[in-house]
């Protein structure tokens, strides 16, 4: 097991990549802190999975875009689990919308959840790790969309680029404390975030044909990389990003 004795906190942990990451961290020996948002049934299911693995689960229900959520989640989890050794900023939304008529509320909500919320959460986690001493690992779930665009994602792709850049700068700011900061960049993973978009057979076929490995990602494909970045296997890795996309990014022709 790669995370024995670790205390790993994950935002947006009730579904998709966050859920898979929480369960995989528990499978590797970690107790986990779960930030969730108004998703009680799915949350209960994740907690049951984690406890069935013999690990502890702490739950905090709060909107990452609300500045009060970050300290409440981090401090609550640290008290319940006995500290924080790794933090995964995962919560995110992607309400596909055209650019010219992008509603301000859609733009601002996407920015506040995906970037501002990530900033608040990573800052709170870093302060906890500094207070504890002993270093730690912060992982942001960025995206292939940090590197390339999307016609219906003009509000979204900059937030993914933002969290990637945030890890580069926090890696510098926190290195002196032994805190590593890295991002994982998933390609396309079939989850609730893109359920409606991928319900279009033509879009789904287009995306799948772009992937040299011949399939879209599974949440576990991303969770494995997060476990690596949280573990001592990545002890000299900071300020890095791990593209985890089945080869989609490099596939021009
Ligand atoms: N699915 C994909 O193809 C890709 C996803 N990503 C990123 O992965 C992360 C997770 O996405 P998925 O698991 O695919 O989506 P998902 O929709 O399955 O899960 C998102 C999770 O975040 C939670 N959440 C949403 N808004 C929140 C808020 N304001 N506060 C707290 N929690 C909130 C949801 O309840 C859910 O548990 C996101 O940051 C997304 O940008 C990046 C690249 C590709
Ligand atoms: C929501 C998208 O389908 C998904 O999220 C991303 O970051 C990439 O754009 C993926 O395609």
């Amino acid at each position: 097991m790669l995370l024995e004795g670790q205390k790993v906190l994950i935002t947006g942990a009730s579904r998709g990549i966050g859920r898979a990451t929480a369960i995989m961290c528990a499978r590797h020996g970690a107790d986990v802190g779960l930030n969730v948002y108004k998703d009680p049934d799915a949350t209960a299911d994740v907690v049951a999975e984690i406890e069935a693995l013999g690990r502890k689960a702490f739950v905090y229900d709060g909107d990452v875009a609300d500045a009060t959520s970050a300290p409440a989640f981090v401090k609550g989890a640290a008290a319940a689990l006995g500290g924080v050794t790794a933090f995964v900023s995962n919560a995110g939304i992607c309400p596909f919308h055209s650019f010219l008529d992008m509603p301000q509320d859609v733009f601002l909500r996407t920015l506040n959840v995906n970037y501002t919320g990530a900033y608040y959460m990573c800052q709170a986690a870093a302060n906890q790790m500094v207070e504890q001493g002993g270093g730690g690992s912060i992982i942001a779930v960025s995206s292939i969309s940090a590197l390339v665009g999307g016609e219906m994602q003009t509000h979204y792709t900059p937030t993914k680029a933002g969290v990637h850049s945030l890890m580069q700068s926090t890696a510098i700011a926190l290195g002196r404390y032994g805190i590593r900061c890295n991002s994982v960049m998933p390609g396309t993973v079939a989850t609730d975030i893109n359920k409606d978009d991928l319900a279009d057979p033509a879009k789904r076929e287009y995306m799948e044909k772009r992937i040299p490995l011949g399939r879209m990602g599974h949440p576990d494909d991303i969770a494995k990389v997060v476990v690596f970045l949280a573990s001592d296997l990545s002890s000299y890795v900071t300020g890095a990003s791990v593209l985890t996309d089945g080869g989609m990014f490099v596939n021009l022709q």
Side-chain angles (χ1 to χ4, degrees), residues 94 96 142-146 153 156-157 160 186-189 193-194 197-198 203 207 248:
C94 183
F96 288 85
S142 174
S143 167
I144 187 173
S145 291
Q153 298 179 300
Y156 174 81
T157 61
K160 296 288 106 176
T188 297
V189 180
I193 204 171
N194 47 34
D197 183 54
L198 295 176
K203 177 66 177 286
M207 298 302 274
M248 180 189 266

Side-chain angles (χ1 to χ4, degrees), residues 2-3 6 86 137 139 180 225-236:
L2 292 171
L3 303 180
Q6 285 224 32
S137 175
I139 301 135
R180 300 182 293 109
V225 176
V226 173
V227 167
F228 163 72
L229 291 171
S231 79
D232 285 342
L233 292 182
S234 57
S235 58
Y236 198 60

Side-chain angles (χ1 to χ4, degrees), residues 56-115:
K56 283 184 200 165
F58 167 85
V59 176
Y60 177 82
D61 190 326
D63 180 356
V64 294
D66 176 345
T68 64
S69 292
F73 173 44
V74 171
K75 285 295 180 193
L81 303 176
V84 179
T85 60
F87 189 89
V88 185
S89 176
N90 164 76
I93 60 174
C94 183
F96 288 85
H97 202 290
S98 47
F99 173 58
L100 292 175
D101 56 349
M102 175 72 67
Q104 276 193 7
D105 63 331
V106 174
F107 168 74
L108 288 171
R109 181 64 181 163
T110 304
L111 177 64
N112 288 331
V113 172
N114 294 6
Y115 183 69

Side-chain angles (χ1 to χ4, degrees), residues 2-183:
L2 292 171
L3 303 180
E4 203 138 14
Q6 285 224 32
K7 318 302 182 169
V8 183
L9 275 54
I10 304 113
T11 66
S14 63
R15 294 173 185 271
I17 293 167
R19 167 193 161 91
T21 297
I23 293 168
M24 190 152 310
C25 287
R27 204 169 283 144
H28 278 276
D31 292 330
V32 292
L34 311 174
N35 157 253
V36 298
Y37 186 48
K38 299 180 180 176
D39 200 6
D41 294 345
T43 300
D45 183 62
V46 183
V47 170
E49 291 253 6
I50 289 160
E51 290 177 345
L53 290 165
R55 308 312 319 168
K56 283 184 200 165
F58 167 85
V59 176
Y60 177 82
D61 190 326
D63 180 356
V64 294
D66 176 345
T68 64
S69 292
F73 173 44
V74 171
K75 285 295 180 193
L81 303 176
V84 179
T85 60
F87 189 89
V88 185
S89 176
N90 164 76
I93 60 174
C94 183
F96 288 85
H97 202 290
S98 47
F99 173 58
L100 292 175
D101 56 349
M102 175 72 67
Q104 276 193 7
D105 63 331
V106 174
F107 168 74
L108 288 171
R109 181 64 181 163
T110 304
L111 177 64
N112 288 331
V113 172
N114 294 6
Y115 183 69
T116 311
Y119 191 100
Y120 290 155
M121 283 286 180
C122 292
Q123 184 188 42
N127 275 307
Q128 176 66 31
M129 291 172 180
V130 169
E131 189 181 313
Q132 288 169 183
S137 175
I138 296 175
I139 301 135
V141 182
S142 174
S143 167
I144 187 173
S145 291
L147 309 173
V148 288
E151 179 183 356
M152 305 296 276
Q153 298 179 300
T154 56
H155 54 324
Y156 174 81
T157 61
T159 69
K160 296 288 106 176
V163 293
H164 162 59
S165 180
L166 177 63
M167 290 301 100
Q168 291 176 320
S169 291
T170 50
I172 302 163
L174 299 173
R176 65 179 66 95
Y177 302 106
I179 299 169
R180 300 182 293 109
C181 302
N182 296 288
S183 67

